[in-house]
Amino acid sequence: MEKIVSLCKRRGFIMQSSEIYGGLNGCWDYGPLGTELKRNLKDFWWRRMVRERDDIVGMDGSILMNRQVWVASGHEATFSDPMVDCRNCNSRLRADQLPERDGKRYCPVCGSFDLTEARAFNLMFKTYVGATEDESAITYLRPETAQAIFVQFKSILEVSRKKLPFGIAQIGKAFRNEINPRNFTFRSREFEQMELEYFCRPEDGVELLEYWLKERLKFYEEIGISSDLLHVHQIAPDERAHYSQGTYDIEFEFPFGVQELEGVAYRTDYDLSQHQKASGKSLEYFDEETGQHFVPHVVEPSAGVDRTVLALICAAFCEETITDQKGKAETRIVLKFHPRMAPIKCGIFPLLKNNERLVGQAREIVELLRPHMMVFYDESGAIGRRYRRQDEVGTPFGVTVDFDTIGENGPSNQETVTIRERDSMKQVRVPIGELKSVLVDRIS
Ligand code: GAP
């Protein structure tokens, strides 16, 4: 994990928020490459969940909502973790994550057994809306994106003119005042979720839970997270929320242990019924075929963007020993991202920087490819070092413009370039005219 955190910082994937002031615990900034990676993940989720389907539409809700949303959903009363304080070092700790010695729980910071009784600590960030800081102005930063979907269910049903089963998808920020943010971005206080609420008839809920579990597992394969690294944990009936009729956690083998990436839950009609009761507004669906009115049930696949980005980096990270042309062994650090997810798709290199024709041709290739993918032009240093720099950030392809390209070794390879593949390090020669289509095929 240390190597991954250091690579993320060194190459501008992820860094501490407000670092020059000592940071803010549980908050992270994504640098240029991290931002591209995150965007590729969110775009692909949106493509699979919304654009390529007739039965799902999108929305983008506000982060601040009427406080009554959080009263009705149960978050204000119960969205809490049990917390204890260490009387010796004043650390505030999650009561359910304390280490034990001789059957007694102790403080992992100072080792003291002198801990307070556990008490509930609400994880929502409280804030005031408007100029007065009194009780009537209180609301919260949303701890999940899902509630915006539930409270807009009826309007979106009407405007989209969908019939059950149908879903509403959303990607957006969520905030939780976690007691112990830890494991890099894994448990943060500010993070993003990709959530789908898939509304259905009550009799279809159990089957759709299985369907969505399969769909979501397929998604992880498609972004390059192998099923070997994933685990499906079925939550036992006595451990899941009282309203849930089935919940799966999709877990990933992080270097710090097997941990949740996404929950897929059959939440019955709990959320819509709660909001219907509290708001007094009907959230029922009218079934034209049977003439019945009822509150739809819902299956919810809820994934974390930041956790999936971290899983993508962990799954891609490789240290390999390779031998160079002189037979010398060296370590190659490479992020083996699926080309779909890679922040930069193609590095473009003139063999030498002080040759105008090589540089001119390479610059033309940059312009040719730029409308279709993220490219990176690099002319500095030996070509081998330039390849290594791109390997380290996971760029799947490297295009080199050499003397064959500009016809200095005869006409046979003129107007061709080499494409080097990151993982095999093999090179193939391709006419410049075919370059765009060859690469676009490989990254989409
Ligand atoms: N609407 C259901 C819901 O929010 P959750 O299991 O609490 O369910 C869903 O959250 C996903 O959001 C998690 O599987 C995880 O990927 C992500 N997530 C939750 N808390 C997080 C945190 N503190 N930091 C980063 N990601 C988090």
Side-chain angles (χ1 to χ4, degrees):
M1 206 51 211
E2 247 172 56
K3 287 180 183 173
I4 287 170
V5 174
S6 137
L7 172 65
C8 283
K9 190 176 167 176
R10 190 170 73 247
R11 299 306 309 267
F13 281 90
I14 304 170
M15 42 239 189
Q16 243 194 329
S17 156
S18 24
E19 196 170 0
I20 60 168
Y21 290 102
L24 181 64
N25 201 3
C27 299
W28 300 94
D29 290 343
Y30 289 76
L33 295 175
T35 306
E36 286 296 325
L37 177 60
K38 206 175 184 194
R39 188 173 285 264
N40 291 341
L41 170 66
K42 290 191 284 184
D43 286 352
F44 189 66
W45 187 90
W46 198 256
R47 174 175 145 195
R48 281 286 185 264
M49 302 297 258
V50 180
R51 298 239 164 97
E52 295 178 350
R53 300 184 64 118
D54 285 330
D55 57 346
I56 300 179
V57 294
M59 76 165 283
D60 187 10
S62 66
I63 286 170
L64 296 173
M65 289 191 277
N66 189 308
R67 179 182 182 178
Q68 294 315 314
V69 171
W70 308 110
V71 174
S73 67
H75 283 83
E76 191 174 274
T78 63
F79 192 62
S80 55
D81 277 339
M83 179 199 78
V84 299
D85 287 329
C86 171
R87 290 199 185 91
N88 186 47
C89 72
N90 297 327
S91 294
R92 188 151 278 187
L93 308 156
R94 280 262 302 255
D96 54 347
Q97 289 173 355
L98 291 174
E100 283 187 21
R101 204 180 307 136
D102 304 328
K104 277 186 75 186
R105 296 179 308 163
Y106 65 93
C107 170
V109 180
C110 70
S112 167
F113 289 91
D114 194 5
L115 306 174
T116 62
E117 285 301 304
R119 60 185 184 284
F121 173 76
N122 195 297
L123 298 179
M124 288 196 294
F125 282 98
K126 195 185 264 184
T127 190
Y128 298 92
V129 177
T132 45
E133 291 198 358
D134 62 17
E135 184 70 15
S136 68
I138 288 176
T139 193
Y140 305 93
L141 301 191
R142 66 182 179 194
E144 60 170 21
T145 63
Q147 296 304 321
I149 299 180
F150 294 128
V151 298
Q152 291 294 1
F153 159 75
K154 198 64 183 258
S155 324
I156 294 181
L157 173 69
E158 280 165 16
V159 294
S160 63
R161 300 172 59 232
K162 297 284 176 201
K163 303 253 182 297
L164 289 184
F166 94 102
I168 304 175
Q170 181 174 207
I171 300 178
K173 287 269 188 183
F175 303 82
R176 295 183 190 178
N177 198 2
E178 299 283 357
I179 301 168
N180 288 333
R182 59 185 178 160
N183 290 329
F184 200 21
T185 57
F186 178 81
R187 190 177 304 287
S188 313
R189 289 187 166 136
E190 175 174 344
F191 55 94
E192 268 183 283
Q193 292 184 313
M194 306 182 280
E195 295 201 294
L196 166 70
E197 304 302 327
Y198 197 74
F199 301 99
C200 63
R201 291 183 172 76
E203 59 272 26
D204 297 332
V206 170
E207 203 177 305
L208 282 166
L209 174 67
E210 300 305 316
Y211 166 81
W212 277 109
L213 174 65
K214 283 204 195 90
E215 282 295 298
R216 297 303 304 143
L217 289 170
K218 198 164 79 193
F219 176 86
Y220 288 106
E221 287 271 351
E222 288 183 307
I223 60 172
I225 297 182
S226 144
S227 57
D228 298 346
L229 296 172
L230 293 174
H231 298 253
V232 176
H233 174 56
Q234 184 166 21
I235 309 294
D238 59 334
E239 282 176 39
R240 62 189 185 223
H242 64 90
Y243 47 78
S244 169
Q245 273 186 30
T247 302
Y248 293 107
D249 280 351
I250 300 178
E251 300 173 331
F252 174 78
E253 286 182 24
F254 286 99
F256 45 82
V258 175
Q259 297 279 354
E260 177 189 330
L261 272 188
E262 167 162 359
V264 186
Y266 173 22
R267 299 174 63 102
T268 65
D269 61 354
Y270 175 76
D271 306 274
L272 289 181
S273 295
Q274 287 293 103
H275 288 301
Q276 176 165 277
K277 231 184 289 159
S279 68
K281 306 268 164 29
S282 164
L283 296 178
E284 287 186 333
Y285 175 82
F286 175 61
D287 190 329
E288 284 167 13
E289 280 165 36
T290 62
Q292 278 180 319
H293 291 268
F294 61 93
V295 177
H297 280 214
V298 72
V299 174
E300 173 197 72
S302 170
V305 175
D306 309 75
R307 281 191 192 177
T308 311
V309 165
L310 187 57
L312 283 168
I313 296 172
C314 293
F317 184 85
C318 266
E319 265 181 326
E320 295 175 346
T321 306
I322 53 165
T323 26
D324 67 14
Q325 282 159 343
K326 293 178 195 141
K328 207 174 113 215
E330 62 167 318
T331 304
R332 174 172 96 119
I333 296 176
V334 46
L335 287 177
K336 294 189 172 176
F337 288 129
H338 190 292
R340 231 175 227 151
M341 292 295 115
I344 300 168
K345 309 300 182 191
C346 183
I348 297 163
F349 317 112
L351 192 60
L352 300 175
K353 74 169 174 193
N354 52 8
N355 179 305
E356 258 178 42
R357 291 184 62 211
L358 292 176
V359 168
Q361 181 63 78
R363 293 251 180 228
E364 268 180 39
I365 292 174
V366 168
E367 295 313 318
L368 173 80
L369 296 180
R370 188 168 264 166
H372 310 280
M373 66 192 73
M374 189 74 185
V375 295
F376 183 78
Y377 174 81
D378 188 4
E379 60 178 24
S380 64
I383 191 74
R385 299 224 0 236
R386 285 183 259 167
Y387 289 152
R388 286 296 172 278
R389 286 202 287 264
Q390 290 308 308
D391 289 346
E392 204 184 41
V393 298
T395 306
F397 306 107
V399 165
T400 306
V401 174
D402 57 16
F403 290 105
D404 283 6
T405 316
I406 57 173
E408 289 209 358
N409 295 331
S412 60
N413 281 330
Q414 195 166 0
E415 298 280 304
T416 67
V417 286
T418 59
I419 301 181
R420 172 189 181 268
E421 288 184 356
R422 176 198 63 204
D423 299 351
S424 66
M425 295 188 286
K426 295 224 164 74
Q427 305 202 12
V428 288
R429 233 172 219 289
V430 174
I432 293 173
E434 289 172 23
L435 198 51
K436 187 197 99 192
S437 66
V438 168
L439 292 176
V440 167
D441 270 2
R442 306 276 302 269
I443 62 169
S444 46

